[in-house]
Amino acid sequence: MEFNSLKPELYVIDFEKSLIFYRDILGFKVEYTRENPKFAFLSYQGSQLMIQEEDDDEEWHNGKPEYPYGRGLNLEIETDELDQILKKLEENNYPLKRGIRESTYMENDIPHKHREILVMDPSGYLLRFSESI
């Protein structure tokens, strides 16, 4: 496995609940884990992120985390399985923050169209799944 240059690490409130959300609902692959503290390195279609159970190590925090975590940040995750993700979220009665929207982003004079959803993970991090159309 090749590691991306940027790998966000998300402190999570309930590690097991977050692992189930990312792995079983969203379809992330667990690349490796660690037990103390509970940690998982996850990948999904070229995206990579890490989750770790919240701890009291002040060296790694710039303030006391409060729900929802990650305020002011959303993580865009490219996918070619948006409908499958929507189906799994629905099957698990997991709410969307925002349903499907189409967006167009311009690169010079070239339009790039996407379908996107927003969903909050169990700790409140905002995930934006984006599929090219």
Side-chain angles (χ1 to χ4, degrees):
M1 157 174 236
E2 188 172 320
F3 293 98
N4 293 342
S5 297
L6 178 63
K7 300 172 285 293
E9 183 170 359
L10 309 178
Y11 283 95
V12 297
I13 297 167
D14 182 327
F15 180 81
E16 296 304 326
K17 187 175 183 180
S18 293
L19 185 60
I20 289 168
F21 174 76
Y22 281 98
R23 182 191 60 209
D24 299 343
I25 297 176
L26 297 179
F28 277 73
K29 178 182 177 189
V30 177
E31 298 293 346
Y32 63 87
T33 61
R34 186 174 61 227
E35 281 303 312
N36 191 15
K38 291 181 180 176
F39 169 93
F41 187 93
L42 308 169
S43 66
Y44 176 83
Q45 295 189 2
S47 296
Q48 298 173 340
L49 62 84
M50 302 173 280
I51 60 171
Q52 179 173 311
E53 185 172 61
E54 178 60 49
D55 62 20
D56 294 326
D57 188 348
E58 292 182 16
E59 180 180 9
W60 290 99
H61 299 293
N62 58 5
K64 180 164 176 48
E66 295 178 24
Y67 183 86
Y69 288 16
R71 290 185 206 137
L73 167 77
N74 76 74
L75 300 172
E76 180 179 359
I77 302 165
E78 292 181 5
T79 184
D80 60 7
E81 302 175 332
L82 191 62
D83 290 331
Q84 183 177 333
I85 290 170
L86 284 165
K87 181 179 177 189
K88 289 291 283 184
L89 290 166
E90 185 178 315
E91 286 172 1
N92 287 275
N93 296 314
Y94 203 93
L96 293 175
K97 172 88 169 154
R98 187 186 78 196
I100 296 176
R101 283 210 187 144
E102 289 189 10
S103 300
T104 302
Y105 302 98
M106 298 300 290
E107 177 186 9
N108 298 320
D109 291 331
I110 303 168
H112 298 277
K113 296 186 181 224
H114 297 266
R115 292 179 348 150
E116 301 173 331
I117 61 166
L118 294 175
V119 61
M120 289 176 65
D121 86 349
S123 295
Y125 292 103
L126 190 58
L127 308 176
R128 176 172 34 137
F129 284 90
S130 179
E131 180 178 57
S132 282
I133 52 174

